[in-house]
Amino acid sequence: MEIFSTLASILLDPYMLLVILAGTVGGVLVGVLPGLSSTMATALLLPFTVTMEPIPAISLLAALYCAGTYGGSITAILINAPGAPPAAATALDGYPMAVRGEAGRALGIATVSSTIGGVFSVLVLIVAAPLLARIAYKFGAPEYFALALFGLSMLASISGKSSVKNLIGGAFGVLIATVGVDFTTGVERFTFGFPELTEGIHFIPVMIGLFGGSELLTQAASLNVIYKRIASVAVRLPSREDFRKVRGVIARSCGIGTFIGILPAEGGTVAAMVAYNEAKRWSKDKAEFGNGAIEGIAGPEAANNAATGGAMVPTLALGIPGSATTAVILGALMVHGLRPGPHLFNEQPHLLYSIFVAMLVANVMFMGLGMLGAKVFARVTLIPRTFLWPSVFALAVVGSYALTQSMLDVWVMLTFGLLGFLFRRYGFSPAPIIMGLILGELVENSLKQSLLIFDHNWLLFFERPIVVMFFVLTLAGLFGPFLYQHLVSGFMKNRRGTLDE
């Protein structure tokens, strides 16, 4: 019943509605602009929410996260330029529909599918997060160490094409987390004589640099790119026949997106691609895919928005980010003095239900905004990049300085912006680095606490069933894909040999 009272209190609070509306509009705008992403936007916006109360601040970021995932579909359909990575699969069939004059129909299907996926995942979040937190309430330091290790192992598939490079990036993030004074021994590590580094490197300037600064340098190489634009017709709701055709795809994709979102380090991009492949696999008209199949729009859009609520489940219940954007939201919770996990459900239930309601309201809001203003939002892409990216850079500098009023944080942002640019050039994604930075402190502290509890006897880890389970999942996450590929290739080789005989 508390969720209903929280919903009523937010709907009757003009300030909260304004905050959620601002986050929703901002998220759609960010999603529409190619190059920007909800992860970058939340990282840039986070320092400016420090002066806000925790509930409005986190609700603003959560609304931006939900709406930003949807916003990318608008430009993916109209100009074949996904505004956000999760919308890449949507462009495969959305743009061909727009070219043949069905942009309004494509946008309508994308909007409805996104809303259904988002609302479904929030409902799962409302039910699953408290249950998961209740289980996690019995966790000790060894269980949290095993869980964090499992989260780091999932970095292999978070983004990018190379699992090895993703794991290297995650290890680099853990290394950054060790900068500062070791509170167990009092020894300074990697401070290089800077007193400001004794408290460690703040993750906010690192996030702003890796996502905002590196993207600025990347976009500087494509300032003269011109997109072919489609004159959009009015967005219209799917017809009864369209909805009948895609309802199974939407239902299946909601489950896929929510499940993949719950897995630590996965996210909307993976969910969208898997949902697209499944939609094609189950379709009776596979030849239409790539040429304007409505199932090719409904599947990815339902899945990538369902992943938003799913990704919040481990973030809130366990303190393990479910995606790159939720890693930033996790950082925002920590900035406001809140540590996500089972204790938060007992100590701050109103805060959590407010986040749930904010995401639910945001999903409903962006449906209205998408149906009424998709064509208007698409015109935002006309903003010259020569004006847009310098503005982003100015926000990055101000946001880095604002948290502690330290120029060192600005230099940290600039340094990691350059490093992020170099990493991207050589195939390293910035997302695993951020995840490693967020999880690094948990891994180190829980490991030290566990060793103290076990009197430095490592074998006692294997006497705890939950720890063993997470160790097995970690090994499966690291070596499962390689073993599966080896088994499949061996099976195909033996089958070819049998056929030749």
Side-chain angles (χ1 to χ4, degrees):
M1 292 301 293
E2 186 172 354
I3 188 67
F4 295 105
S5 62
T6 304
L7 176 60
S9 64
I10 287 181
L11 292 178
L12 295 175
D13 186 349
Y15 175 65
M16 282 298 299
L17 285 176
L18 184 62
V19 166
I20 296 172
L21 178 62
T24 305
V25 173
V28 175
L29 288 173
V30 166
V32 163
L33 288 166
L36 291 178
S37 66
S38 57
T39 305
M40 184 198 307
T42 50
L44 290 172
L45 189 60
L46 195 159
F48 300 98
T49 64
V50 173
T51 57
M52 300 173 64
E53 293 295 322
I55 290 178
I58 306 304
S59 297
L60 176 66
L61 297 178
L64 191 150
Y65 178 31
C66 294
T69 304
Y70 157 72
S73 67
I74 297 176
T75 43
I77 291 171
L78 295 181
I79 63 175
N80 200 26
T90 306
L92 298 177
D93 285 279
Y95 185 67
M97 285 187 68
V99 169
R100 68 181 187 224
E102 295 184 290
R105 181 184 176 211
L107 287 169
I109 292 170
T111 302
V112 172
S113 301
S114 297
T115 302
I116 294 174
V119 170
F120 174 84
S121 70
V122 173
L123 295 177
V124 172
L125 171 64
I126 292 171
V127 175
L131 294 176
L132 188 60
R134 200 170 301 158
I135 297 172
Y137 194 73
K138 300 178 181 178
F139 280 20
E143 284 78 15
Y144 272 111
F145 169 70
L147 174 63
L149 202 63
F150 169 61
L152 288 173
S153 73
M154 295 298 291
L155 295 177
S157 58
I158 183 174
S159 58
K161 297 180 179 179
S162 173
S163 299
V164 175
K165 289 181 178 179
N166 287 338
L167 291 172
I168 292 173
F172 180 62
V174 174
L175 179 64
I176 298 171
T178 63
V179 174
V181 174
D182 182 351
F183 290 103
T184 304
T185 62
V187 176
E188 291 188 7
R189 303 174 299 185
F190 308 114
T191 57
F192 304 105
F194 290 98
E196 297 91 341
L197 290 179
T198 55
E199 296 181 1
I201 295 178
H202 297 129
F203 53 82
I204 291 179
V206 174
M207 286 191 291
I208 293 175
L210 286 175
F211 289 110
S214 64
E215 189 65 35
L216 170 66
L217 295 174
T218 302
Q219 292 293 326
S222 59
L223 290 177
N224 297 322
V225 174
I226 299 175
Y227 297 109
K228 182 181 178 182
R229 305 184 185 279
I230 299 296
S232 172
V233 297
V235 183
R236 59 186 179 88
L237 288 169
S239 65
R240 183 176 298 179
E241 178 62 24
D242 285 342
F243 193 77
R244 185 192 63 78
K245 191 173 183 180
V246 301
R247 62 187 179 186
V249 174
I250 292 175
R252 184 167 53 248
S253 299
C254 285
I256 292 171
T258 303
F259 175 74
I260 291 178
I262 290 175
L263 295 176
E266 300 294 346
T269 305
V270 176
M273 290 299 180
V274 171
Y276 183 85
N277 290 334
E278 288 301 303
K280 184 176 181 179
R281 188 163 72 92
W282 289 91
S283 176
K284 297 178 181 178
D285 303 311
K286 295 181 176 60
E288 288 187 17
F289 280 76
N291 299 308
I294 59 175
E295 300 103 309
I297 298 173
E301 283 304 303
N304 61 34
N305 282 271
T308 58
M312 292 293 284
V313 173
T315 304
L316 296 175
L318 304 173
I320 303 295
S323 67
T325 308
T326 53
V328 181
I329 295 176
L330 177 63
L333 287 164
M334 296 167 64
V335 167
H336 283 276
L338 303 168
R339 178 66 191 182
H343 294 285
L344 192 60
F345 282 80
N346 291 331
E347 298 168 3
Q348 298 279 349
H350 182 66
L351 168 68
L352 295 171
Y353 283 117
S354 297
I355 296 173
F356 300 160
V357 170
M359 296 179 69
L360 193 62
V361 174
N363 278 283
V364 176
M365 280 186 175
F366 75 62
M367 178 176 181
L369 291 170
M371 297 304 298
L372 298 175
K375 186 176 180 179
V376 176
F377 281 117
R379 293 187 178 275
V380 175
T381 58
L382 298 174
I383 297 175
R385 295 187 176 189
T386 50
F387 294 130
L388 174 65
W389 287 103
S391 301
V392 171
F393 177 72
L395 285 173
V397 172
V398 173
S400 300
Y401 179 79
L403 186 62
T404 60
Q405 289 79 50
S406 171
M407 280 301 298
L408 180 65
D409 286 341
V410 177
W411 286 110
V412 168
M413 183 275 293
L414 294 174
T415 300
F416 278 92
L418 180 59
L419 285 175
F421 173 71
L422 294 175
F423 287 153
R424 290 189 182 198
R425 171 168 287 189
Y426 291 100
F428 290 87
S429 171
I433 301 175
I434 293 297
M435 304 288 276
L437 176 60
I438 293 291
L439 294 176
E441 182 180 358
L442 178 61
V443 168
E444 183 182 17
N445 291 340
S446 58
L447 175 60
K448 289 180 177 179
Q449 292 171 6
S450 301
L451 291 176
L452 289 174
I453 293 171
F454 296 150
D455 196 23
H456 296 275
N457 185 354
W458 290 78
L459 295 177
L460 294 181
F461 275 108
F462 299 96
E463 294 184 1
R464 303 175 80 112
I466 296 178
V467 173
V468 173
M469 180 190 71
F470 280 121
F471 282 168
V472 171
L473 290 175
T474 299
L475 292 174
L478 288 174
F479 301 107
F482 300 102
L483 293 175
Y484 176 77
Q485 185 177 6
H486 179 73
L487 290 173
V488 169
S489 61
F491 173 77
M492 295 301 295
K493 184 177 180 180
N494 291 334
R495 185 177 181 184
R496 282 195 298 269
T498 303
L499 292 175
D500 292 339
E501 292 176 1

